Amino acid sequence: MDLQLLGKKVFVSGSTAGIGFAIALKFLQEGAEVIINGRTLASVNNAVQELQSLVRDASVSGIAADFSNVEDVNNVLKAVPEVDILVNNAGIFEPKPFTEIPDEDWFRLFEVNVMSGIRLSRHYFPKMLAKNWGRIIFISSESAVFIPDEMIHYGMTKTAQIAVSRGLAELTKGTGVTVNSILPGPTKSKGVGVFL
């Protein structure tokens, strides 16, 4: 299938493993230029090498950034000033009883899961509108609508992603830009049990 992505520049946050890695791989198979991201340079370099081994002549590079750190986000925006497609996939989770979730945990999950996508979208969205083409995709979760009782704070962040995505979609009327959310279910990933 030709998705007409040849030469499109794509940034996928949180893409050294799991869903993000699979998304990066598919974009590479479609001929896009892909920038992947992970929290450590080692994980990024390993993922880049693996993607290069899976896709001949892959145009893939990577940048390390921890999306709980605003300075790291700003470094990404400087290193990658413009993209055609943004996939907001970075996210963290943890099972914890509601009464035992301190304020710090609520803020930490919100910072990574929601603010990462907001900060990236706030930068790239106007540029997409200016050239009248772009795609922003938020990888939310079915947990956004079926809130897990052991991860209410996680579910809240996924619901927030849908709200941000829907609001941005309203701002694209009459343009060649689209903003969407995808809500996958439980996903088995190497090194992690089940997430998203």
Side-chain angles (χ1 to χ4, degrees), residues 7-69:
K8 296 293 185 187
K9 190 174 201 176
V10 182
F11 179 75
V12 186
S13 67
S15 47
T16 56
I19 287 176
F21 184 89
I23 291 169
L25 175 60
K26 189 62 183 172
F27 274 116
L28 288 169
Q29 290 169 338
E30 290 293 323
E33 174 191 349
V34 179
I35 302 116
I36 65 166
N37 156 255
R39 281 180 285 186
T40 68
L41 189 57
S43 68
V44 169
N45 289 340
N46 288 339
V48 166
Q49 287 177 358
E50 188 174 351
L51 288 166
Q52 287 172 332
S53 73
L54 293 170
V55 181
R56 185 178 173 183
D57 300 324
S59 179
V60 59
S61 60
I63 185 165
D66 180 344
F67 283 101
S68 67
N69 183 324

Side-chain angles (χ1 to χ4, degrees), residues 65 75 105 129 150 158 176-177:
N75 289 338
D105 287 0
L129 291 176
E150 78 284 7
K158 293 300 174 177
V177 178

Side-chain angles (χ1 to χ4, degrees), residues 75-123:
N75 289 338
V76 168
L77 299 177
K78 285 177 193 167
V80 187
E82 196 166 327
V83 297
D84 298 299
I85 300 168
L86 167 64
V87 182
N88 290 309
N89 179 67
I92 56 175
F93 72 99
E94 62 179 357
K96 191 175 280 191
F98 173 73
T99 56
E100 297 174 19
I101 306 171
D103 287 1
E104 294 77 20
D105 287 0
W106 285 92
F107 289 126
R108 181 171 52 88
L109 265 68
F110 192 83
E111 181 78 16
V112 174
N113 297 1
V114 182
M115 290 307 299
S116 64
I118 288 174
R119 290 178 177 125
L120 292 171
S121 299
R122 187 170 54 205
H123 177 84

